[in-house]
């Protein structure tokens, strides 16, 4: 008897769920995907300027681990910086770093970990993974510390945030994409929130 009742309940639930899904599309509560494509929009979240630590400052020299199993590894300390956007602004605290891996195919993998402090003293942990690559001459110029038009190379990141401050708790729930620009003294990242 219990088995039969369970089967009936499953059938009723499946039918109700199927009807709800169709009704949700019919009355415009859910967008109907068109030909397998879903529109994606974004809005600016912030621009982050990251200052790499001066190479001669004691204790902030980039650590060059050399060739490891997946490429050439180095760790670059972050000296500071700032950030600004429509809903938040402040400074990048010193002490973070970027764990870099130059792969055999010439792609640079980035793994940044920093702490942001807003103007009202909230702390936000920010991480991102990303990729940078481009034509050999552009990448060589960046390696020499030259300014290169960011349109000449690919530099994209996926930032994530953690904070316990209620004002900025929305950051714990967003997906973002960043476009980076390498500069001789650090990097600039324009970050958009995906809606």
């Amino acid at each position: 008897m219990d088995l039969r009742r369970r089967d009936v309940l499953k059938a009723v639930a499946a039918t109700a769920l199927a009807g709800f899904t169709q009704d949700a599309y019919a009355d415009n509560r859910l967008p109907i995907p068109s030909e397998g494509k879903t529109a994606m929009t974004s809005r600016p979240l912030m621009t982050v300027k990251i200052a790499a630590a001066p190479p001669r400052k004691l204790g902030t020299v980039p650590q060059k681990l050399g060739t490891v199993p997946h490429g050439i590894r180095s760790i670059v300390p972050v000296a500071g910086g700032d950030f600004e956007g429509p809903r938040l602004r402040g400074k990048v605290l010193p002490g973070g770093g970027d764990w870099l891996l130059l792969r055999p195919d010439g792609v640079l993998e980035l793994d940044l970990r920093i702490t942001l402090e807003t103007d009202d003293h909230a702390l936000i942990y920010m991480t991102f993974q990303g990729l940078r690559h481009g034509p050999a001459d552009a990448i060589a110029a960046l390696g020499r510390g030259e300014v290169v038009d960011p349109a000449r190379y690919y530099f994209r990141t996926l930032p994530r945030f953690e904070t316990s401050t209620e004002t900025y708790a929305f950051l714990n729930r967003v997906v973002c994409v960043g476009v980076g620009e390498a500069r001789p003294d650090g990097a600039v990242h324009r970050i958009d929130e995906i809606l």
Side-chain angles (χ1 to χ4, degrees):
M1 182 113 166
D2 284 332
L3 181 60
R4 195 183 253 177
R5 183 175 176 201
R6 189 175 301 141
D7 291 340
V8 170
L9 290 174
K10 282 182 186 178
V12 170
T15 304
L17 185 57
F20 168 77
T21 304
Q22 290 171 357
D23 291 343
Y25 284 118
D27 68 5
N28 293 322
R29 284 185 283 157
L30 294 175
I32 298 173
S34 61
E35 300 176 20
K37 297 179 184 177
T38 301
M40 192 172 356
T41 59
S42 65
R43 67 178 169 193
L45 179 65
M46 70 175 102
T47 298
V48 180
K49 296 176 184 170
I50 298 173
R56 296 176 193 243
K57 190 173 178 183
L58 185 61
T60 60
V61 177
Q63 301 165 13
K64 298 184 182 217
L65 280 68
T67 303
V68 296
H70 301 290
I72 300 170
R73 172 73 68 189
S74 59
I75 303 165
V76 178
V78 170
D82 58 58
F83 63 95
E84 184 169 353
R87 294 179 282 169
L88 67 167
R89 65 188 42 79
K91 62 185 176 181
V92 176
L93 297 179
D98 201 352
W99 281 252
L100 305 171
L101 180 70
L102 181 58
R103 300 184 332 203
D105 64 356
V107 174
L108 183 66
E109 291 185 4
L110 302 101
D111 180 7
L112 180 82
R113 305 166 199 183
I114 57 176
T115 304
L116 309 176
E117 182 180 15
T118 63
D119 283 351
D120 55 352
H121 306 292
L123 295 178
I124 302 166
Y125 174 56
M126 176 183 172
T127 64
F128 70 60
Q129 283 69 49
L131 300 175
R132 191 187 80 190
H133 56 83
D137 63 324
I139 299 303
L142 289 173
R144 293 189 298 271
E146 298 174 16
V147 175
V148 177
D149 180 354
R152 295 197 57 219
Y153 56 92
Y154 183 91
F155 190 174
R156 304 292 185 269
T157 62
L158 297 171
R160 298 289 304 261
F161 304 94
E162 294 178 16
T163 185
S164 62
T165 305
E166 189 58 37
T167 305
Y168 304 106
F170 70 93
L171 292 169
N172 297 327
R173 301 182 296 271
V174 298
V175 171
C176 298
V177 175
V179 176
E181 177 183 343
R183 295 190 176 171
D185 59 347
V188 175
H189 300 275
R190 291 184 323 277
I191 299 170
D192 279 9
E193 172 187 357
I194 304 300
L195 302 175

